[in-house]
Amino acid sequence: MKEKWMSFAIIEANKGLKIDEVPIGAIIIKNDRIIGRGFNQTENLKDPTAHAELIAITSATNSLNEWRLNDCSLYVTKEPCLMCYGAIINARISTVYYGASDLANGFVSKVNRNVILNKHLKKIESNILENECKTILLNFFKTKRKKNKKT
């Protein structure tokens, strides 16, 4: 089931790829239903906070007409940053699943998971469809480097 939901996050990442954004996608699930979706839009919106996770959280809260996302799961193609983890905790999301780890900017990689687990965020699981999630990011940055070398 985790792979099924992550494949929807990958679809969101591909939406970002089509508009030349860093291809990261996220979805939020409640009761086996997608209630929120998002992909990175920092370049398009000229907004450093327009990360896939935050857009998915906003989408989910609008769906539920409620800021508390109790009993919801977030699926995201890349390990969330510190800013996104703050939002995840504040939104009371209970489970986070991510695909590719981010050793440079990821938050979970840098801290003991027990430190960030709390009464709302109960579980974090990594490496869901990891190869697919990594590949889309690696290909995006390879293409960017090639374009930059030509200019």
Side-chain angles (χ1 to χ4, degrees):
M1 192 59 115
K2 291 178 270 191
E3 289 79 10
K4 171 192 164 187
W5 294 124
M6 187 61 76
S7 68
F8 285 102
I10 292 170
I11 290 168
E12 293 300 309
N14 280 310
K15 290 178 184 177
L17 184 63
K18 287 178 184 170
I19 61 169
D20 204 31
E21 289 281 353
V22 175
I24 299 169
I27 62 163
I28 296 179
I29 304 298
K30 183 167 184 151
N31 298 328
D32 289 323
R33 195 175 117 247
I34 297 174
I35 61 165
R37 301 169 187 269
F39 57 90
N40 269 12
Q41 296 185 55
T42 55
E43 297 297 330
N44 254 6
L45 298 177
K46 308 290 186 257
D47 180 354
T49 68
H51 289 198
E53 300 93 327
L54 298 183
I55 292 169
I57 287 170
T58 299
S59 173
T61 59
N62 287 334
S63 261
L64 296 178
N65 196 29
E66 168 66 61
W67 67 267
R68 293 172 195 88
L69 298 178
N70 294 319
D71 303 316
C72 290
S73 297
L74 171 76
Y75 288 79
V76 61
T77 57
K78 187 190 75 60
E79 178 182 355
C81 68
L82 178 58
M83 174 183 69
C84 291
Y85 264 106
I88 289 163
I89 290 166
N90 285 332
R92 300 182 179 179
I93 291 171
S94 61
T95 311
V96 173
Y97 299 98
Y98 65 89
S101 294
D102 181 350
L103 300 178
N105 298 309
F107 181 59
V108 177
S109 305
K110 292 182 172 32
V111 298
N112 179 329
R113 286 180 190 219
N114 293 328
V115 170
I116 56 177
L117 295 177
N118 60 47
K119 69 179 183 175
H120 300 294
L121 179 58
K122 296 174 175 62
K123 180 179 178 183
I124 301 168
E125 191 173 324
S126 58
N127 305 323
I128 313 299
L129 295 181
E130 179 182 23
N131 288 334
E132 293 89 333
C133 294
K134 271 186 188 177
T135 299
I136 191 171
L137 284 164
L138 291 172
N139 289 340
F140 172 79
F141 286 112
K142 281 180 191 174
T143 302
K144 279 284 187 201
R145 279 190 221 94
K146 284 179 187 175
K147 283 181 187 175
N148 288 339
K149 283 183 181 180
K150 290 178 183 177
T151 57

